[in-house]
Amino acid sequence: MSPYPDDLDRWREAARIASRAREYGLTLVVPGARRRDVADAIERFVRSEGAEPAFPTNLSRNDEAAHYSPAPDDAAEFVAGDLVKVDVGAHLDGAIADTADTVEVGGTRRYENLVRAAREAVRDGIAEVRAGASVDAVGRAVARAIRARGFKPIVDLSGHSIERYLLHAGKSVPNVPGASDARFVEGEIVAIEPFATNGVGHIGNGPFGHIQRFRADPGASDPALAALFARFRTLPFSARWVTGEEERAALKRGRRFLQTYPVFVEQGHGWVAQAEHTVLVRDDRAEVLTASATSPIP
Ligand code: CO
């Protein structure tokens, strides 16, 4: 039996769409652009390509490391100098791709080295991935690349294996050494996602990031809630996608079935850069599914 997903074409196509959505999103993050409009446009692009967003577009800024997605009423605009992580997911029937990059708004170039550190870390981490290789080797390579530029890896955020309809599956891929005994398995889909910071290298929970997901099947007793579960399953979603009056009411009623995500904020209020690719573990290397012409890693 092949160790690879039998619908590998679907995973590849989802990744191609996510990669293009990431590149498109990076061009939209300019001074004066509204955060909500940028998130909506990226998600519209994903849908126009025939996929669904695998999670709400994350547009975390500055000392926000992850999990900020605009609320339905978010009117805030990006300003020159913001450091924005564009973290995008697309899925086709549950075959998920997850990818991110960082842009400094308005080309101020004060954090170029921090952005470089994250990109070099994802490249060096990916170079360690192959069937049978230790997950720890990725953490070692990632941490080395980030420290080489004088920054710190964020130790509480990790890459992760991905399975059908499961964005964060069983395996985590730490961004520091000494934190995993696992090995990569041929045919696995894994997201490698280092975060570099000029802060202390830890995150804490900030305010609600406007991302939630079903932690369990709510059952059929509430038809509106059941319809929402049928649509999102256990993947993260945004209130921006729930527009009907009745659907919104159902979400309120179903609170106990839902998990909400806080924004992760760097504990020392250092600024954070992220780079992420989804890869397929092959016997001799990682195949980078979310590479693109502008991000041809490694
Ligand atoms: Co990820």
Side-chain angles (χ1 to χ4, degrees), residues 98 160 191 193 276:
D98 180 3
H160 48 96
E193 59 172 322
E276 177 177 25

Side-chain angles (χ1 to χ4, degrees), residues 221-271:
S221 61
D222 185 330
L225 196 60
L228 285 168
F229 181 73
R231 182 172 162 204
F232 300 125
R233 308 277 200 109
T234 51
L235 289 175
F237 63 92
S238 168
R240 287 182 287 106
W241 306 345
V242 180
T243 48
E245 202 66 25
E246 171 57 16
E247 286 179 300
R248 289 209 166 151
L251 270 191
K252 279 203 181 116
R253 289 195 300 272
R255 256 192 311 259
R256 70 184 184 282
F257 298 106
L258 294 160
Q259 169 189 1
T260 61
Y261 291 77
V263 179
F264 290 147
V265 180
E266 214 285 326
Q267 285 288 64
H269 295 290
W271 283 28

Side-chain angles (χ1 to χ4, degrees), residues 66-224:
H67 291 176
Y68 176 81
S69 190
D73 59 353
D74 189 327
E77 298 175 355
F78 293 110
V79 298
D82 276 348
L83 192 64
V84 179
K85 279 70 71 181
V86 177
D87 191 344
V88 174
H91 82 91
L92 287 165
D93 290 327
I96 301 167
D98 180 3
T99 183
D101 199 5
T102 302
V103 59
E104 196 170 331
V105 181
T108 44
R109 304 179 79 169
R110 285 187 301 149
Y111 289 90
E112 233 179 346
N113 284 334
L114 190 61
V115 175
R116 282 208 181 111
R119 288 180 183 160
E120 287 162 3
V122 82
R123 179 197 66 198
D124 291 359
I126 287 169
E128 299 295 328
V129 177
R130 66 189 69 83
S134 75
V135 170
D136 199 50
V138 173
R140 195 173 311 117
V142 159
R144 189 194 299 123
I146 292 171
R147 289 181 181 131
R149 287 206 176 262
F151 301 112
K152 290 184 175 138
I154 294 186
V155 306
D156 341 66
L157 294 174
S158 300
H160 48 96
S161 58
I162 300 175
E163 290 169 15
R164 175 171 303 281
Y165 281 110
L166 218 51
L167 180 58
H168 288 244
K171 186 173 283 175
S172 79
V173 183
N175 290 316
V176 288
S180 175
D181 297 325
R183 291 188 177 274
F184 291 107
V185 177
E186 187 172 5
E188 247 177 348
I189 308 277
V190 181
I192 306 296
E193 59 172 322
F195 294 79
T197 183
N198 59 0
V200 296
H202 286 277
I203 46 119
N205 289 343
F208 179 41
H210 312 292
I211 301 172
Q212 52 195 330
R213 75 174 192 108
F214 283 98
R215 61 169 118 232
D217 185 340
S221 61
D222 185 330

